[in-house]
Amino acid sequence: MPVLDREPSRDSGGGDGLPKLPLPALKDTLDMYLSCMKHLLTEEQFNKTQNVVKQFGAPGGVGELLQSKLMERRENKANWVYEYWMNDMYLNNRLALPVNSSPVMVFPLQHFRAPIDSLRFAAHMISGVLEYKTLLDSRSLPVDYARGQLAGTPLCMEQYYRLFTSYRLPGTERDTLVAQESSVMPEPEHIIVACKNQFFVLDVVINFRRLNERDLLTQLDKITRMADSEQEHLPPIGLLTSDGRTEWAHARSELMRESTNRDALDMIERCMCLVCLDDPSGPELSDTTRAMLMLHGGGVAKNGGNRWYDKPMQFVVGADGCCGVVCEHSAFEGIVLVQCTEYLLKYMIGSPSKLVRAASVSELPAPRRLRWKCSPEIHKLLASSADKLQRQVKNLDMNVYKFCDYGKEFIKKQKMSPDAYIQVALQLAFYRCHSRPVSTYESASIRRFKQGRVDNIRSATPEALTFVKAMTDGKLHTSDTEKMEMLRDAITAQTKYTILSITGMAIDNHLLGLRELAHELKMEKPEIFQDEAFLVSNQFILSTSQVPTTVEMFCCYGPVVPNGYGACYNPQSDHIIFSVSSFLDSPQTCSAEFVKCLVQGLMDIGDLCNTCNSSSNTTQKKQGQTLETHTQTETNWQSKTPQRPADKTESQQSLPQFVLKTPDQTKVEAQTQTSSLAETPALKNGSKS
């Protein structure tokens, strides 16, 4: 039997009154594991796996022992999987943060007419950050409640309180998420501004008074002038943070030998956030180009050194209007990034720039440039880091596409979940490209529970495979009515698994807990975790996430395995934005080809829905019924538009160019709640094994 909390109390969302994460029954997880894997394995592989699983789950066997120990752990911990999950997904991962781990939000292209405009934008944004931090510090942030599937439950809010008070400290074997949670230590009262690869301390509180927007603009202007001084230029130390985590840990130890460097590191690691004032990156600033620039900064020749990847929030303001947010993912999930960013953009739209009216601090001390003392070893490490980042820049294959033929409103008219529908379309796209199904990851929020982060929705269901085969195999001669039934079965299966995941009853966290507990108990690694099926199950060649927004922007991230795709999507009422990534050095993947198959699949599924609805309507009209809504839907579908890139439809409003939606458009459709990205980093190279 699964272990559940009977009657959870409601609280302010911090987590104390929320139920503990349940522990699924061992038999349920093992049965579901076999069901998830059967169609992804050869018959020979599956027969072997079936025997291995049966042995693991046998009465009095290893599985029962580990399950009983997990039950004890659940009693003694606020969240039985949290530490295991954090280490496995993030802190044990040795890959570089840019592209591999850190998701980004990309804003609409801004049209700054003069250099001062970008600084005004930055000053206005910093004011919004300070307002938001005031809400956090006073614990006044409204509690999030679940939407979509099983709506109405209060959600754990503790991730929000790490936004501006934490950083990821590199380690030679495992990183540490350092969170400022003690009331003994003073709250950070400074921001680090990166400009021309130099770092400056911007105090936002002087003489116990918060700087107003005019003062912030004055200080930012001083910083840009200081950064222009060629005599003062120091090496681009930020490049070291873009390297692999073990390499960065060694480099940081080398830096720490000098007291000057220790002081600089301390100021960066204790700051609220970074504001990166970027130089122009080139004439072509399409959605795809801006997404790539936000992910890696364009490398050493552009703004790749104008970052500090260990900090959770880096707000990028490019002089050419390329703006967004880079997020270090271990501290919080995608929904937290979205909520914070939307607050800032709505603040910028809703509160006019206050550059004139407010009284300023009379004598503003000049911002301080952080100094570095670099040994020959540091210079050598910098060259190596720059080279590796440049390889990442050259290897990323990104494609941002705005699908405009329909959006979530059309899908909802079919009485289907938009998220489940899009997941089935992604399965169809992959099958069209590669003629096989693969393990697929979709992040699902488990913030209904104390310290909840995410679990995985395994979207490559047997039902989805049946549907995509029918849609791609001309020899099957399946009727449209049969295909429609298969589509509904696939969407039902996806929705059921989603509910299991968000209620803590999915398999990935449970299997992780069993594996880690065996390691903790110094047991020989159980065969189930050495079996080829387990390796296949955790090679997420298709890593997906729904990240809906109510302000015009989009999220993207890199693939999680060398031969995989990252597929992030933002469903809106009449369109869907897709951000698809892969690596150019993989002969098996191509982002443009995947997008082409995705668009074709969305059109085919839409046609199928319309055809079947049309047949249904004809029958019903003969019975004297009318369905006006379908007629409208069909009319929209008569004029299909060709594939178009997202860039052509971008907002051309005056600053700040963010589009807000009406309140009824703000509902998030599925509680796969944007946790983007969630597990993505640590699954690279199948590191869950």
Side-chain angles (χ1 to χ4, degrees), residues 72 137 205 405 410 561:
E72 289 176 21
D137 292 345
V205 176
D405 287 271
F410 168 80
V561 290

Side-chain angles (χ1 to χ4, degrees), residues 330-343:
S330 66
F332 44 80
E333 298 312 326
I335 185 63
V336 175
L337 170 64
V338 170
Q339 295 279 60
C340 173
T341 306
E342 290 194 345
Y343 176 94

Side-chain angles (χ1 to χ4, degrees), residues 4-23 73-83 85-86 153-159 162 445-455 502-504 509:
L4 305 164
D5 281 349
R6 293 287 173 207
E7 294 190 10
S9 60
R10 297 194 170 209
D11 75 332
S12 64
D16 292 344
L18 295 176
K20 284 186 173 185
L21 182 68
L23 182 64
R73 182 179 174 87
R74 185 181 182 275
E75 288 299 313
N76 298 325
K77 296 272 186 182
N79 184 309
W80 61 267
V81 81
Y82 179 81
E83 289 169 30
W85 179 89
M86 176 66 77
T153 314
L155 303 178
C156 182
M157 296 293 286
E158 69 172 36
Q159 294 176 41
R162 292 195 284 266
S445 170
I446 50 172
R447 285 175 58 218
R448 287 170 168 76
F449 306 104
K450 203 177 293 185
Q451 293 184 0
R453 291 293 297 258
V454 299
D455 205 340
I502 65 178
T503 55
N509 282 349

Side-chain angles (χ1 to χ4, degrees), residues 30 66 82 270 291 324 329 334 340 379 388 402 450 464 470 506 523 557 570 631:
L30 296 181
L66 292 173
Y82 179 81
R270 284 194 299 107
H329 207 349
C340 173
H379 283 289
K388 280 183 260 186
K402 188 171 183 177
K450 203 177 293 185
M523 295 170 59
Y557 51 88
N570 182 350
T631 308

Side-chain angles (χ1 to χ4, degrees), residues 41 50 75 92 110 143 218-219 226 260 284 289 303 362 367 369 407 429 432 485 545 562 585 608 619 624:
L41 302 170
Q50 216 171 5
E75 288 299 313
N92 290 344
Q110 300 299 305
V143 175
T218 299
Q219 297 296 72
M226 291 167 72
T260 302
E284 201 269 318
T289 300
N303 296 291
S362 53
R369 183 196 300 262
R432 271 221 169 102
E485 194 61 36
S545 184
D585 65 5
L608 178 66
T619 304

Side-chain angles (χ1 to χ4, degrees), residues 485-497:
E485 194 61 36
M486 292 172 182
L487 173 62
R488 292 201 179 277
D489 287 348
I491 286 175
T492 299
Q494 176 73 14
T495 303
K496 282 181 179 175
Y497 204 108

Side-chain angles (χ1 to χ4, degrees), residues 80-97:
W80 61 267
V81 81
Y82 179 81
E83 289 169 30
Y84 291 158
W85 179 89
M86 176 66 77
N87 290 335
D88 187 63
M89 297 304 116
Y90 297 110
L91 304 182
N92 290 344
N93 196 308
R94 301 292 83 203
L95 290 168
L97 298 184

Side-chain angles (χ1 to χ4, degrees), residues 64 86 100 113 131 156 159 205 252 279 312 319 396 481 509 593:
E64 285 195 352
M86 176 66 77
N100 301 306
R113 297 179 188 87
E131 288 285 330
C156 182
Q159 294 176 41
V205 176
R252 188 179 180 281
D279 287 339
L396 181 62
T481 304
N509 282 349
E593 188 62 30

